[in-house]
């Protein structure tokens, strides 16, 4: 454990520049080898103070809300925007800052395309399509589940697309491998290839976890290059979120108390699962805790196994069990690995819980605070 982490007295997300650049270099290499554009999805990572680093490798991003679109327009060359539901009170602003605007349905296209074109004559329109196939097992994250609200089915598309629809957007993955993409692509072509001659680009969405250590990069590149051969006129786009920030940093916390009930020892931390690591409860999944082994259950009282508890008043704000090398004490540092993607964009201030600071560990090992939070931030949300 880095001494610099143990010195932190308050909760803090720490992004490591070296690890971030490692991911960006790999993604940039894939984009060049496969002749595609890979853009950053803000839904997984939007720490804008790190964007100068991103701009060394990519120049575009994808947005799904007005807030994301405005942020993207401020920092990136191109903004690819998709929303399940555009609204009268935001469509003009979103169209003004977007290079690409993808509609979730033909009815949304019919409602807003003319208006968006009037605001931005150069905008490129797309339609989200749903191939009715996904290998995502967790229903909460499956965009192609039966009854999904995402995308147009092939049976709902006209034989001749409107002349100003330039592309298709298809998102079917969640932290998936290249083999999953290869199998999914068969279904995308089966359902929608009849329209490929009418469009200029196709966006294969996010969930392509190409920076994971066991991801088959060569298979991904071969799959994409084979697709190029079949449809050489189509520009290909991918917009992973997790892949950019995968294993690039940690959440540092402290033990503030240890309580026991029914033979279960809970180490209460100064962070919250429901506020600061919500996917641990939603997915659910067990994060890696530095210096500890996750165990499925409490089988014996060895004095070194603890459930980890958050500091909110939600009864279910806990996770466990973890076995440590030695008994924990109040003041000990607990480091949660890989806590940058999705966490920093999904945090909340439920219960008025203090939000962790955000810092960067630079390439020369300096810890630079990017943002610190106080009670006034909680108050200002209600102001």
């Amino acid at each position: 454990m880095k001494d610099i982490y143990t010195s932190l007295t308050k909760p803090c997300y720490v992004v490591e520049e070296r690890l971030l650049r490692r991911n960006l270099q790999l993604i940039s290499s894939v984009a060049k080898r496969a002749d595609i554009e890979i853009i950053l999805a803000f839904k997984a990572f939007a720490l804008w103070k790190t964007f100068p680093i991103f701009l060394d490798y990519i120049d575009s991003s994808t947005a799904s809300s007005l807030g994301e679109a405005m942020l993207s327009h401020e920092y990136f060359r191109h903004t690819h925007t998709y929303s399940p539901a555009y609204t009268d009170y935001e469509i003009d602003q979103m169209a003004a800052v977007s290079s690409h605007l993808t509609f979730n349905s033909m009815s949304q296209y019919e409602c807003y395309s003319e208006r968006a074109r009037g605001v931005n004559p150069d905008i490129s329109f797309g339609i989200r399509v749903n191939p009715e196939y996904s290998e995502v097992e967790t229903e909460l994250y499956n965009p192609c589940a039966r009854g999904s609200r995402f995308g147009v089915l092939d049976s709902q598309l006209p034989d001749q697309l409107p002349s100003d629809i330039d592309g298709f957007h298809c998102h079917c993955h969640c932290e998936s491998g290249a083999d999953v993409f290869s199998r999914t692509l068969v279904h995308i072509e089966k359902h929608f290839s009849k329209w490929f001659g009418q469009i200029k680009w196709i966006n294969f969405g996010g969930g392509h976890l190409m920076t994971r250590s066991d991801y088959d990069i060569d298979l991904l590149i071969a799959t994409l290059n084979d697709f190029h051969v079949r449809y050489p006129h189509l520009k290909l786009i991918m917009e992973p979120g997790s892949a950019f920030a995968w294993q690039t940093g940690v959440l540092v916390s402290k033990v503030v108390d240890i309580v026991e009930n029914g033979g279960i020892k809970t180490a209460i931390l100064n962070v919250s699962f429901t506020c600061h690591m919500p996917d641990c409860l939603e997915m659910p999944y067990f994060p890696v805790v530095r210096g500890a082994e996750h165990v499925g259950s409490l089988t014996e009282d060895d004095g070194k196994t603890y459930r980890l508890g958050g500091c909110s008043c939600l009864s279910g704000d806990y996770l466990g069990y973890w076995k440590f090398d030695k008994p924990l004490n109040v003041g000990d540092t607990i480091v949660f690995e890989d806590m940058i993607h999705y966490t920093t964009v999904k945090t909340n201030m439920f219960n008025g819980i203090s939000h962790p600071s955000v810092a960067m560990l630079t390439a020369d090992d300096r810890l630079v605070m990017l943002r610190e939070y106080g009670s006034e931030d909680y108050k200002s949300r209600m102001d």
Side-chain angles (χ1 to χ4, degrees):
M1 183 185 299
K2 297 181 186 298
D3 291 340
I4 202 166
Y5 289 169
T6 60
S7 67
L8 289 168
T9 57
K10 295 181 180 180
C12 189
Y13 295 104
V14 182
V15 185
E16 297 196 24
E17 181 182 355
R18 273 192 291 254
L19 300 179
L20 184 60
R21 287 189 181 275
R22 175 202 64 189
N23 285 356
L24 285 160
Q25 288 165 358
L26 186 147
I27 290 169
S28 177
S29 171
V30 170
K32 291 174 183 175
R33 291 173 62 191
D35 189 24
I36 66 171
E37 183 176 22
I38 303 179
I39 62 181
L40 170 65
F42 280 4
K43 66 180 288 188
F45 183 86
L47 294 179
W48 56 267
K49 289 184 179 179
T50 67
F51 289 171
I53 295 173
F54 279 77
L55 292 172
D56 288 341
Y57 305 89
I58 65 171
D59 66 0
S60 301
S61 65
T62 180
S64 294
S65 65
L66 178 58
E68 288 185 347
M70 297 297 286
L71 183 63
S72 173
H73 181 66
E74 185 176 351
Y75 287 93
F76 289 91
R77 182 182 176 192
H78 294 129
T79 298
H80 298 241
T81 302
Y82 158 79
S83 174
Y86 297 114
T87 61
D88 283 339
Y89 51 87
E90 291 183 341
I91 186 63
D92 294 332
Q93 286 178 280
M94 294 182 82
V97 299
S98 299
S99 58
H100 298 67
L101 193 74
T102 295
F103 297 95
N104 187 58
S105 66
M106 292 305 297
S107 56
Q108 281 260 296
Y109 164 80
E110 291 162 2
C111 182
Y112 291 120
S113 59
E114 186 174 343
R115 184 167 160 183
R117 179 76 66 193
V119 173
N120 184 353
D122 297 323
I123 201 165
S124 180
F125 289 149
I127 290 289
R128 179 162 177 169
V129 295
N130 185 336
E132 302 175 76
Y133 178 86
S134 174
E135 297 185 22
V136 178
E137 295 180 355
T138 303
E139 193 81 355
L140 183 67
Y141 298 94
N142 185 353
C144 298
R146 186 174 182 273
S148 172
R149 71 190 193 280
F150 295 133
V152 180
L153 307 181
D154 57 353
S155 60
Q156 298 170 327
L157 281 176
D159 289 338
Q160 184 65 42
L161 295 173
S163 60
D164 61 350
I165 290 181
D166 297 326
F168 282 165
H169 179 285
C170 190
H171 175 57
C172 310
H173 301 87
C174 178
E175 298 187 354
S176 304
D179 57 327
V180 178
F181 174 59
S182 179
R183 292 190 292 270
T184 304
L185 192 55
V186 173
H187 294 266
I188 295 173
E189 290 189 66
K190 173 186 173 183
H191 285 278
F192 298 104
S193 61
K194 64 177 285 187
W195 288 280
F196 285 177
Q198 301 179 39
I199 60 175
K200 301 175 182 177
W201 53 264
I202 184 166
N203 184 330
F204 290 121
H208 308 277
L209 194 48
M210 58 190 72
T211 50
R212 188 175 59 201
S213 61
D214 63 347
Y215 191 94
D216 192 339
I217 292 290
D218 290 336
L219 175 59
L220 173 65
I221 292 171
T223 301
L224 290 167
N225 284 333
D226 286 346
F227 190 89
H228 278 307
V229 172
R230 295 193 296 279
Y231 311 101
H233 71 287
L234 286 178
K235 178 180 179 179
L236 305 186
I237 304 163
M238 285 183 165
E239 50 179 42
S242 295
F244 283 96
W246 181 257
Q247 294 184 340
T248 58
V250 300
L251 174 59
V252 182
S253 66
K254 295 283 190 184
V255 177
V256 296
D257 197 10
I258 297 172
V259 299
E260 186 171 355
N261 186 326
I264 297 173
K265 290 182 180 178
T266 300
I268 299 179
L269 310 177
N270 60 353
V271 295
S272 162
F273 291 100
T274 191
C275 295
H276 310 138
M277 297 171 275
D279 277 354
C280 292
L281 302 181
E282 291 178 4
M283 188 73 171
Y285 81 99
F286 295 100
V288 173
V289 176
R290 189 172 297 185
E293 174 190 1
H294 175 249
V295 294
S297 62
L298 184 62
T299 56
E300 61 182 22
D301 184 12
D302 59 6
K304 296 183 289 186
T305 301
Y306 302 81
R307 190 165 68 180
L308 298 181
C311 56
S312 81
C313 291
L314 176 69
S315 298
D317 189 5
Y318 66 85
L319 217 57
Y321 300 90
W322 277 268
K323 184 174 182 178
F324 291 81
D325 294 334
K326 58 184 179 180
L328 294 177
N329 294 297
V330 171
D332 283 351
T333 299
I334 304 295
V335 177
F336 292 93
E337 304 282 8
D338 194 21
M339 278 294 163
I340 301 302
H341 62 94
Y342 276 104
T343 50
T344 50
V345 292
K346 293 181 74 171
T347 57
N348 61 76
M349 293 184 176
F350 165 68
N351 228 175
I353 300 297
S354 296
H355 193 287
S357 303
V358 182
M360 175 176 285
L361 186 63
T362 64
D364 57 357
D365 288 328
R366 291 180 298 110
L367 189 67
V368 178
M369 280 294 167
L370 304 181
R371 174 68 193 269
E372 295 184 80
Y373 296 85
S375 57
E376 67 279 1
D377 293 297
Y378 175 67
K379 180 182 178 183
S380 67
R381 292 181 72 249
M382 311 293 177
D383 190 356

